[in-house]
Each structure stands twice: as C-alpha cells, then as structure tokens.
C-alpha cells in the first residue's frame, strides 16, 4: 500500500468526513507509538503533525536506546530495570534499528565524579543482572593502561580506568517513520503538515475533535474524534492552550540538547564513550562513532526560544569543544572541524526532579534565588536594545535563559529534570501523554491505550481488544529479532543479486530492514537516475512511494541521515536528488528552486555556516 504524496488527498478526505475513535496530535515517537497500537487494535485512528514526521525532538536525540546506567549511582534500581527491560522490547519490535554497542565509561579521579572504580563495577553488575546481559556483552572493568590502548587520545591525567558495558545505538527518525508506516498499513490516517488550530467540544463541553489547517493547501476543516490525545512533546502545553476550557499550569519544561559531528580522522573512538564533563556541572557527555564520523553531545540548557527551529549557538559549540579538547588533549578540534550538527528540545516534565542519563538529582541550592539588581538591569537593557534593533531575539532569549534559574524556587537544573512521563485527562476529556524518552515510547503508548480502552467502554459502549504491543513489530522489523545479523546478510545478498555493490546493498538492508527486498525488487524496472547510483535511486523511489517523503530535506535529513553523517558527499548528491524528485513530483521551476533553497538552508544550518563566518 502506497503511503506518499499520491495518498495525501485521500487521507485528508477521510479525516474530514470520518468520525475517528482516536486522534493523536503530534507525529513524533510518542504519537507514532500511540497510532501504531490504536490502528492495530482496529480503532479508527488518525494522527496529525504540523511538520514532517519526527521533524522535532524525535530526530534530534543522542540516537541511543539508552539503558540509564547513571540511575544506579543512587541505586534507582526500579527505574533501570524498567528501562533495560523496555529496551529489549523495542529491540524486538524494531530489530533493524536498535543495535547493541559496547560503551566505555572512563573513570577520572575528579571532584564530584559520577562513579569511582568501585562503584562503577557494582553499578554495571547490577545493570547486567537487570538487563539479563551475558556473554560477549557482559561488563568488565579495565585498567588505565588498557583504556589508553583502546583510546590513546584520551587524557591520561587522573584517569583511573574504565567500565565497559552494553548499550544500544538507535536511528531515532527511522524508528518514528517505521511506526508511522505500520500504523498507516493497518488503516491509520497519518497526516503530516496538518496543524491543530483549536480543540472542539460537543454541547456538553466535552472534547470531540480538532479544527485544523492543511499547511500544504491552506484549507481549514474539522476532524471529529471520540478521543483526542495530545502527543505533541515540547509543544504539549501549546496544544493545551488551543483548548479554551483548559486553565491549568504549564506542564513542560523544555531543554535544548546539542550534538556536533566531525570526521573520524579528527577524532576516532573505538566504540561509544561516556564520561563526566570534568566541569563539575553534573553532566555527562557521549562520544559516539557512526559510519566514518564521530559525534558528541549533549548539552542541557533551559530553552525559551522558537520551538520549531532550535539552533546551535556559539556557546553550545564552545562548551562541547572545551570538554572534548580537555578529554582528548591532542585532537585540538575547532568549529571548522564540525561537519554537521543538530539541536533538539526535550519535553521534560517540570514537576519532576530526579536523575537522568545526562544529569544528577541535586537541586540548584534548594533555596529561592532572587534576581540581582545587575541581572534585572541586564534584562531591561536587552529589551531596550531589541526594541531599537541593536540586538536580535536570540540575544534576549539568552538573557532570559540565564535568569530562569534565579527566578525559580527549588528548581532542579536542566540536566537533572526527570524524563518521566505523564498521562492525564483534563476535565473536558482531552488526554495528554507527555514527557518520557525514546526508550519508553512503546510502554507509554500501551498505558495510553489502556486508558483509551476504558473511556471508549464507559462513554461509547465500545469493547476494544488491545494487541500485545510487546510483539507488535513495526514496518521493516518483520523478522526474527534474535537473528538480526543473519537476516541483514540475507537481505544484502538479495541486493547484490540485483546488481548493487555489497556496501550499497548492506546500507539499504540496515536502513530499511525487512522492506529491503521490496526496494531491491524495483531494480527490475528502474534504472539509475542521473548523478545517482542504482542503490541511491531505488532507496529514493521507495521512500517517495512509501514514507510520505515530500521534500529533499525530508529524505536527506530524516529518512537517511545523509546530511548528518555523510556531509562530505552531500554536495555531490543534493542536486541529483532534487532533480529526480522534481521529475517524480513534476515540480515546476519555481518549486524546484524553492526546494533547492530549503535544502541549502538545512545543510548550512547543520554545518554551522553562520557561526563559521562569524569566527573568520
């Protein structure tokens, strides 16, 4: 079944004319998980997303299905048990996406270090027991000398040794689109570029749908639904404000996380590495190899800017480069070495404090901090300069962010707010599924479906049979999760038999999983597009036909991650991709020029072109 621009009008017509059982607002991982389970339960399911699927938070993570070993610093055993067990479930339902990866955790003798050599072994043993890890991935402790043999560029000063344990890499945007595709295949109405404008109510004041705008046609219409669930991530509070009957407090405290990518010739690590920043700020940083690149992050800073376009700032770059150059003193990375980057917002629950993978659980002093006279004057000065056109909005936002901690009482630092989730029902029936992290998405959705089932039974006399979501495999994941390598090898051979190189066939097999044979089958009646290899052409055509890929940015950033991890070839491939999409979609010259400009803008933003110009 096609899921493409050709089916957009049909999806919109059904959204206009059908009464849905469930409508999700937000097409990130949370909404995608809800839609998949609802559609599998044979509920009339809809989902709307105002951007591309996964365009927000869910394509901007650290790209791990992280086990949360840091929780064990304070022996939060229940949290880690839930996390590692759920990670195993996600690997089973999307076996082509999460992949096991050893993680090195160097231990330094520094003030406020997260772990000592003693405590890390205790934590890892408990972690392995909770995750049922044995064999080649079982944890071990290695000496300082062994660490430096693995990572000779690491700073040896105060290095004690390291722990090595199991974690999982992830392709966050692929996980979302595979959930979305499966929901669509099961009858769900999945619509990108549709914006919620207002929550609608029936004569009893209960939510019964949403007034929306199709951003592709600018048409406005109503979607009728028995249950509306807010799965908008960082935008959750904004969606609630579309409900005139809601007068509650803000639930989400968004924080910004930044990651930077360099070529592995500049910084090479044998496997993912995770260490304290050395700045005694309660944070830890990942350094992760992927393909022939190395990326590192993340930051955790409170955010009050444009949710749709969070940007990497000079302060973000300086912070991460300072940490990396301290931990790897011989690499001497500069901003010119950065090939790609991304910034994303985390939908943290403001009411929750606690540890997370990137922070501890301590409060910022635990006492109320008032704004100093100096800070107050800085704010007034910034506002006056903005009004007179001397500085930009981002400069004012920076001042506000610096003041936020001082304005709060007993507020945990941005990096210590819990990633816990929340499922609530407002007085008028609007469901809100907020917070959480990628590892928890399936479990969060299952909890929401239980609530949806009870509401449909009580208010609409509907009896719903829910599927076992632990066995509900996503698109591309329909194979034995205990035989991942064997299946990927089998799919790769199919591609080789169709005339692709082994490297190209393997890349497609890893990216698309059990859908790879469908892609390779296109070779029977498809020739390579000008400027593209046969494999690149087949993957592009499949994505246009089956993944609601509407723009070159959709394809090169979120469907394939080419912009992030293959920046050295993006200039060669971008025009052939646009040319082939223009032919496929029959774009006129004006549309083709606009797509080219949008792609160039996305590439320049990822490559930090503006910051590099300022640095010259």
């Amino acid at each position: 079944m096609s899921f493409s621009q050709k089916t957009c009008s049909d999806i919109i017509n059904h959204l206009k004319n059908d009464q849905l059982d469930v409508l999700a607002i937000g097409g990130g991982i949370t909404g995608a998980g809800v839609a998949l389970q609802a559609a599998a339960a044979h509920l009339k399911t809809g989902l709307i997303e105002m951007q591309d699927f996964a365009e927000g938070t869910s394509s901007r993570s650290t790209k791990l299905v992280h086990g949360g070993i840091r929780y064990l610093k304070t022996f939060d055993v229940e949290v880690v048990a839930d996390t590692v067990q759920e990670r195993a479930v996600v690997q089973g339902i999307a076996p082509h996406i999460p992949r096991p990866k050893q993680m090195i955790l160097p231990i330094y003798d520094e003030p406020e270090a997260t772990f000592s050599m003693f405590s890390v072994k205790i934590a890892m043993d408990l972690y392995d027991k909770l995750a049922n890890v044995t064999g080649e991935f079982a944890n071990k402790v290695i000496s300082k000398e062994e660490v430096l043999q693995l990572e000779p560029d690491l700073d040896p000063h105060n290095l004690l040794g390291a722990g090595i344990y199991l974690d999982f890499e992830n392709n966050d945007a692929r996980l979302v689109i595979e959930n979305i595709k499966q929901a669509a295949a099961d009858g769900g109405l999945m619509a990108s570029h549709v914006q919620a404008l207002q929550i609608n109510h029936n004569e009893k004041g209960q939510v019964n749908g949403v007034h929306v705008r199709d951003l592709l046609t600018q048409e406005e219409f109503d979607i009728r639904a028995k249950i509306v669930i807010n799965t908008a991530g960082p935008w959750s509070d904004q969606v609630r404000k579309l409900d005139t009957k809601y007068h509650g407090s803000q639930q989400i405290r968004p924080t910004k996380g930044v990651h930077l990518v360099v070529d592995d010739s500049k910084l090479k690590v044998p496997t993912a590495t995770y260490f304290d920043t050395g700045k005694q700020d309660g944070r830890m940083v990942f350094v992760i190899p992927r393909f022939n690149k190395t990326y590192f992050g993340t930051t955790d800073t409170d955010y009050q800017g444009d949710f749709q376009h969070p940007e990497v700032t000079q302060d973000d770059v300086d912070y991460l480069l300072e940490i990396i150059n301290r931990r790897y003193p011989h690499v001497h990375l500069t901003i010119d070495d950065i090939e790609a980057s991304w910034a994303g917002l985390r939908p943290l629950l403001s009411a929750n404090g606690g540890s997370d993978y990137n922070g501890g659980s301590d409060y910022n002093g635990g006492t109320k901090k008032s704004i100093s006279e100096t800070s107050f004057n800085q704010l007034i000065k910034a506002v006056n300069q903005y009004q007179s056109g001397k500085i930009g909005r981002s400069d004012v936002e920076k001042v506000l962010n610096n003041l936020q901690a001082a304005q709060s009482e007993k507020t945990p630092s941005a990096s210590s707010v819990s990633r816990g989730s929340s499922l609530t029902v407002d007085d008028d029936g609007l469901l809100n599924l907020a917070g959480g992290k990628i590892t928890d998405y399936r479990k969060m959705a299952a909890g929401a479906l239980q609530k949806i089932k009870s509401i449909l039974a009580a208010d609409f006399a509907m009896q719903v049979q829910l599927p076992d979501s632990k066995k509900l495999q996503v698109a591309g994941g329909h194979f034995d999760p205990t035989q991942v390598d064997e299946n990927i090898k089998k799919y790769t051979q199919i591609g080789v038999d169709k005339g692709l190189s082994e490297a190209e066939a393997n890349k497609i097999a890893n990216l698309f999983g059990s859908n790879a044979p469908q892609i390779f089958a296109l070779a029977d009646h498809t020739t390579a597009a000008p400027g593209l290899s046969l494999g690149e052409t087949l993957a592009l055509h499949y994505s246009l036909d089956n993944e609601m890929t509407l723009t070159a940015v959709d394809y090169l950033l979120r469907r394939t991650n080419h912009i992030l991890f293959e920046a050295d070839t993006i200039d060669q491939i971008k025009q052939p991709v646009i040319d082939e999409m223009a032919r496929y979609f029959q774009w006129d010259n004006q549309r083709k020029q606009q797509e080219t400009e949008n792609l160039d803008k996305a590439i320049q933003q990822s490559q930090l072109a503006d910051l590099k110009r300022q640095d010259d």
Side-chain angles (χ1 to χ4, degrees):
M1 173 185 172
S2 174
F3 180 54
S4 67
Q5 186 190 53
K6 298 173 184 176
T7 63
C8 281
S9 59
D10 187 52
I11 291 170
I12 294 298
N13 283 335
H14 279 291
L15 289 174
K16 286 180 186 177
N17 298 311
D18 299 351
Q19 184 182 34
L20 305 179
D21 297 320
V22 180
L23 173 66
I25 303 176
I29 192 61
T30 305
V34 168
L36 178 139
Q37 293 186 30
H42 306 293
L43 294 174
K44 189 68 174 177
T45 303
L47 178 146
I48 57 172
E49 162 58 47
M50 67 177 180
Q51 304 180 98
D52 180 31
F53 301 117
E55 187 167 344
T57 294
S58 296
S59 61
R60 300 165 183 263
S61 72
T62 303
K63 304 187 188 301
L64 295 172
V65 184
H66 189 47
I69 193 172
R70 189 179 172 90
Y71 287 112
L72 293 178
K73 178 185 179 182
T74 51
F75 292 94
D76 293 331
V77 176
E78 185 176 356
V79 173
V80 177
D82 286 346
T83 301
V84 295
Q85 290 164 15
E86 189 58 28
R87 182 181 65 187
V89 173
V90 174
Q91 197 277 328
I93 62 179
H96 61 307
I97 299 179
R99 301 293 181 84
K101 179 180 283 288
Q102 283 192 321
M103 185 79 72
I104 300 175
L105 206 166
I107 306 298
Y108 283 89
D109 183 10
E110 294 173 337
E112 300 183 35
T114 301
F115 290 111
S116 66
M117 292 298 292
F118 177 73
S119 64
V120 77
K121 180 57 177 172
I122 295 175
M124 292 191 305
D125 284 346
L126 183 55
Y127 179 90
D128 280 3
K129 188 170 184 178
L130 295 171
N132 195 29
V133 177
T134 58
E136 64 172 312
F137 289 112
N139 81 81
K140 59 182 176 180
V141 171
I142 60 176
S143 67
K144 173 180 178 178
E145 291 72 24
E146 291 172 307
V147 176
L148 295 175
Q149 285 179 355
L150 287 172
E151 295 202 44
D153 289 330
L154 264 177
D155 183 11
H157 184 62
N158 290 330
L159 178 64
L160 300 175
I164 300 181
Y165 68 99
L166 173 68
D167 222 322
F168 279 72
E169 68 180 20
N170 183 36
N171 187 328
D172 47 10
R174 291 298 315 172
L175 187 61
V176 174
I177 195 62
E178 300 290 33
N179 274 269
I180 291 286
K181 286 160 60 181
Q182 190 64 55
D186 290 339
L189 302 171
M190 310 289 105
S192 60
H193 303 282
V194 174
Q195 181 180 11
L197 300 178
Q198 179 179 297
I199 304 297
N200 293 337
H201 301 84
N202 61 21
E203 64 279 1
K204 296 181 180 179
Q206 292 297 294
V207 171
N208 70 347
V210 183
H211 185 66
V212 304
R213 177 183 293 125
D214 181 348
L215 298 177
L216 299 177
T217 64
Q218 300 307 313
E219 180 186 12
E220 294 187 17
F221 58 92
D222 288 332
I223 302 175
R224 295 174 297 129
K226 296 170 184 173
I227 295 175
V228 176
I229 181 166
N230 172 8
T231 56
W235 285 266
S236 292
D237 288 329
Q238 282 85 335
V239 168
R240 268 180 152 170
K241 290 176 182 177
L242 302 178
D243 185 351
T244 57
K245 296 185 179 298
Y246 178 72
H247 304 289
S249 59
Q250 185 167 309
Q251 184 181 21
I252 299 297
R253 178 183 176 183
T255 69
K256 186 179 74 170
V258 166
H259 297 79
L260 307 177
V261 184
V262 298
D263 191 80
D264 67 1
S265 65
K266 299 290 184 180
L267 172 61
K268 192 173 184 67
V269 294
T271 189
T273 305
Y274 183 38
F275 45 65
D276 289 309
T277 63
K279 296 170 70 70
Q280 289 79 56
D281 58 5
R283 295 175 180 164
M284 297 185 76
V285 164
F286 291 97
V287 182
I288 302 173
R290 186 154 297 191
F291 307 117
N292 296 315
K293 307 298 176 185
T294 303
Y295 69 96
F296 47 89
T298 179
T299 59
D300 255 321
T301 53
D302 284 300
Y303 187 77
Q304 297 174 330
D306 181 357
F307 279 25
Q308 201 161 340
H309 303 290
E311 295 183 353
V312 178
T313 66
Q314 187 67 52
D315 286 345
D316 298 326
V317 173
D318 291 344
Y319 176 82
L320 288 174
L321 289 183
E322 179 188 355
I323 293 166
I324 296 302
N325 286 327
R326 178 191 294 120
R327 290 299 190 214
Y328 300 93
H330 303 300
V331 301
H332 305 299
L333 293 181
T334 71
I335 191 171
D336 291 328
D337 295 315
I338 298 169
E339 293 188 351
S341 66
W342 65 91
L345 303 183
R346 299 185 183 87
L348 306 183
L349 297 177
S350 56
N352 284 7
S355 60
D356 188 24
Y357 71 83
N358 195 36
S361 58
D362 295 333
Y363 286 96
N364 286 340
T367 57
K368 184 175 181 178
K369 299 178 181 179
S370 61
I371 301 175
S372 68
E373 188 72 13
T374 300
S375 296
F376 182 78
N377 290 335
Q378 286 176 342
L379 177 59
I380 296 300
K381 180 181 178 181
V383 171
N384 289 334
Q385 288 178 322
Y386 173 76
Q387 290 177 334
S388 62
K390 294 180 180 178
I391 63 173
R393 177 172 175 169
S394 63
D395 298 301
V396 179
E397 291 167 355
K398 185 184 296 185
V399 174
L400 286 170
N401 287 335
N402 290 337
L403 293 178
Q404 181 162 345
Q407 290 174 306
S408 62
E409 181 175 354
K410 290 190 176 182
T411 302
S413 67
S415 60
S416 69
V417 179
S418 172
R419 298 296 297 280
S421 61
S422 169
L423 175 64
T424 60
V425 184
D426 293 339
D427 291 342
D428 61 357
L430 178 67
L431 268 66
N432 300 278
L433 182 59
K437 51 186 180 289
I438 286 181
T439 311
D440 300 332
Y441 90 92
R442 193 280 324 166
K443 189 174 184 178
M444 290 169 60
L449 263 293
Q450 288 290 346
K451 187 64 178 179
I452 289 168
K453 175 182 178 179
S454 66
I455 293 172
L456 290 174
D459 297 347
F460 299 94
M462 284 181 60
Q463 299 304 313
V464 179
Q465 185 69 38
L466 298 179
D468 182 356
S469 61
K470 291 184 177 181
K471 299 178 180 178
L472 198 59
Q473 289 181 306
V474 305
H478 294 280
F479 60 91
D480 184 351
T482 69
Q483 301 289 319
V484 175
D485 291 342
E486 293 84 351
N487 280 282
I488 295 300
K489 184 177 180 180
K490 179 182 70 174
Y491 299 146
T492 298
Q493 187 58 49
I494 295 173
V496 171
D497 293 343
K498 290 292 186 179
L500 277 68
S501 69
E502 184 173 355
E504 196 161 46
N506 183 257
K507 180 179 177 180
I508 290 173
N510 276 284
L511 202 59
F512 297 97
S514 59
N515 286 318
Q518 181 181 343
I519 297 172
F520 298 140
L522 298 175
D524 293 338
H525 51 80
T526 305
T527 57
L532 298 177
S533 69
L534 178 59
E536 288 166 343
T537 304
L538 300 181
L540 175 60
H541 282 204
Y542 171 82
S543 191
L544 296 176
D545 285 338
N546 299 281
E547 299 191 331
M548 199 58 76
T549 298
L550 303 180
T551 72
V553 177
D554 292 349
Y555 182 70
L556 291 171
L557 184 57
R558 286 175 289 277
R559 305 299 185 269
T560 65
N561 285 171
H562 199 117
I563 290 174
L564 299 183
F565 300 119
E566 298 177 83
D568 42 1
T569 62
I570 193 67
D571 286 341
Q572 288 77 47
I573 199 175
K574 66 179 184 180
Q575 196 58 52
V577 166
I578 286 179
D579 289 343
E580 184 62 9
M581 291 184 70
R583 186 198 64 77
Y584 179 93
F585 287 128
Q586 298 184 328
W587 289 337
D588 59 24
N589 288 335
Q590 181 179 358
R591 174 65 188 276
K592 186 176 178 180
Q593 180 61 33
Q594 185 62 56
E595 286 295 324
T596 302
E597 291 174 3
N598 290 344
L599 177 57
D600 285 341
K601 181 179 179 180
I603 293 170
Q604 289 170 13
Q605 183 176 21
S606 174
Q607 296 181 354
L608 304 180
D610 289 345
L611 292 183
K612 289 175 181 176
R613 278 193 289 267
Q614 295 172 18
D615 197 56
D616 289 340

